[in-house]
Amino acid sequence: MYTKWDLTGRLALISGGSRGIGAACAEAMVDAGARVIAVARNQGDLDRLRDRLGSAVETWAEDVNGRPFRRRLERLDRLDILFNNAGTNSPQPFIDTPEEVVDDMIAVNVRAMFLTAQSAARVMLRAGAGGSIINMSSQMGHVGAANRTVYCMTKHAVEGLTKALGVELAPHGIRVNSVAPTFIETPMTVPMLEDKTFKQWALDCIPMGRIGQLREVVAAVMFLASPDSSLMTGSSLKVDGGWTAR
């Protein structure tokens, strides 16, 4: 299905890699010739991914916020691509957001992303072959939205991290970029999009007038993973139908 890019001989690690965008990108990278390490907490989901994609996928049942995961990552001999995809969201009014929700979202969306990128960069620096780090952001990393204050805060942090790493790691041949999608049809968004009022609000905010598709995010990730984007670093690739252009 995804055959445009050639990643033959490359090793990619995808956090949150067992479902949705992560699984779709794992499929695309395997089709492009890469070996993929898919990381997620649910072993059943990982097993189903491996059954579907075959031996080119190695599965790690790990918590991306745990030291065991980072130690395992840093034992790799090389790593060419990191798709830093794991994330979470819990939309609710700012005034009612519990402290534990704030802590959990910062832990997954910011802390884990920072530390995973740090461990991946250590491997890339040691191997001396450069690499591409792709951070999963969101259109909410560029704008604000009611009931999404914590999510917006964490995704703005992701954009700042991407810019800073892009500058710091550029001399070593390591590129760091983000992908910032609008609402995409995935298993995680199905319950939200079944709410007709919410879906209409989202459509009204998207000048192109439709919800995004998985393949459109996959194409952005694959572009950043490939040599075709060799002059891009510290950038955010928005796949948002014009939401942030208003």
Side-chain angles (χ1 to χ4, degrees):
M1 182 177 179
Y2 308 107
T3 57
K4 181 177 178 181
W5 290 274
D6 183 5
L7 300 179
T8 302
R10 309 221 172 170
L11 177 63
L13 186 143
I14 302 176
S15 67
S18 64
R19 294 187 296 168
I21 292 170
C25 287
E27 179 182 355
M29 290 184 188
V30 167
D31 285 350
R35 291 186 301 119
V36 173
I37 299 170
V39 183
R41 288 181 293 185
N42 189 296
Q43 185 65 60
D45 289 341
L46 289 169
D47 289 343
R48 285 185 284 276
L49 181 73
R50 184 174 171 84
D51 289 344
R52 182 160 59 88
L53 299 184
S55 60
V57 174
E58 180 180 344
T59 60
W60 292 5
E62 298 279 3
D63 181 349
V64 293
N65 249 313
R67 289 181 180 176
F69 162 64
R70 296 194 299 276
R71 286 196 293 265
R72 190 174 183 181
L73 196 169
E74 291 186 27
R75 285 197 296 268
L76 293 172
D77 292 330
R78 65 173 294 171
L79 182 65
D80 302 293
I81 300 159
L82 168 66
F83 181 28
N84 220 351
N85 175 61
T88 188
N89 192 11
S90 180
Q92 49 194 289
F94 165 69
I95 205 70
D96 299 323
T97 303
E99 182 178 345
E100 57 269 24
V101 169
V102 178
D103 291 343
D104 181 57
M105 290 180 66
I106 290 174
V108 177
N109 293 1
V110 181
R111 180 182 186 275
M113 186 163 290
F114 179 99
L115 293 173
T116 300
Q118 186 181 60
S119 291
R122 286 171 177 162
V123 177
M124 292 175 179
L125 288 167
R126 189 171 64 239
S132 175
I133 295 174
I134 305 156
N135 293 327
M136 176 51 76
S137 182
S138 166
Q139 65 187 12
M140 298 301 176
H142 298 271
V143 296
N147 299 319
R148 283 169 170 75
T149 52
V150 184
Y151 189 72
C152 287
M153 176 177 69
T154 62
K155 292 305 183 179
H156 275 72
V158 169
E159 293 296 347
L161 174 65
T162 299
K163 289 181 174 68
L165 290 183
V167 171
E168 185 165 342
L169 297 177
H172 305 283
I174 300 172
R175 299 182 297 107
V176 186
N177 296 285
S178 69
V179 175
T182 187
F183 292 102
I184 305 296
E185 288 187 12
T186 70
M188 187 177 74
T189 62
V190 165
M192 292 189 295
L193 296 174
E194 287 177 346
D195 181 331
K196 292 182 180 179
T197 301
F198 171 82
K199 185 174 182 179
Q200 190 58 54
W201 167 75
L203 291 173
D204 289 344
C205 290
I206 301 171
M208 292 186 74
R210 65 177 177 83
I211 303 300
Q213 301 298 309
L214 270 176
R215 59 180 174 78
E216 294 168 313
V217 181
V218 171
V221 173
M222 292 297 289
F223 171 65
L224 293 175
S226 77
D228 290 345
S229 59
S230 58
L231 196 59
M232 286 185 66
T233 197
S235 295
S236 182
L237 197 52
K238 301 172 188 174
V239 188
D240 67 353
W243 184 306
T244 62
R246 289 187 181 275

